[in-house]
Amino acid sequence: MTRFVLQLEYLLNPTTDEWSEVVRYDHDSRGSSEATHDVTVDGLHIDVYREGEKITSHELTPPLPANEALDRAEEHLKQNAEGYIKRFETWHSIETTR
């Protein structure tokens, strides 16, 4: 595997189909403009978005093979998605009836 992107998005406006990034994990061993992190060199990281812009990036693991990094990213997102969504809703003053 030479590249992957795993991204959680939030539907801001169903009428206009407007989505916004919440968090993103990526890997690109060739260093394209969209994903410049190579997990085999840099380790797995997560980018956090607020108001459509990346505000921070956190390292999650030391360097590891890309297929293992994707598995770790999927598991990390499963375990933390609800918290990321709640934080996103708070940051954007979105009230839900969950």
Side-chain angles (χ1 to χ4, degrees):
M1 177 183 315
T2 60
R3 183 174 190 212
F4 70 76
V5 174
L6 176 62
Q7 183 166 289
L8 175 63
E9 297 182 347
Y10 192 96
L11 181 59
L12 291 173
N13 188 333
T15 305
T16 61
D17 198 33
E18 178 186 358
W19 293 83
S20 185
E21 301 95 337
V22 177
V23 295
R24 174 183 171 132
Y25 312 76
D26 59 54
H27 160 67
D28 189 343
S29 61
R30 296 185 188 128
S32 74
S33 61
E34 291 180 30
T36 59
H37 301 280
D38 183 344
V39 297
T40 66
V41 175
D42 304 324
L44 179 64
H45 70 281
I46 182 172
D47 297 328
V48 179
Y49 289 82
R50 184 174 183 174
E51 297 175 6
E53 299 206 13
K54 182 169 76 170
I55 60 165
T56 190
S57 184
H58 301 285
E59 183 178 318
L60 298 176
T61 71
L64 68 167
N67 59 339
E68 187 177 333
L70 178 56
D71 290 343
R72 295 265 189 103
E74 289 174 334
E75 187 59 34
H76 187 264
L77 184 56
K78 284 179 194 175
Q79 292 175 357
N80 297 286
E82 189 65 30
Y84 293 141
I85 291 168
K86 286 180 182 180
R87 179 177 63 190
F88 183 89
E89 290 172 340
T90 299
W91 282 348
H92 294 87
S93 302
I94 299 169
E95 295 186 30
T96 63
T97 57
R98 281 191 242 193

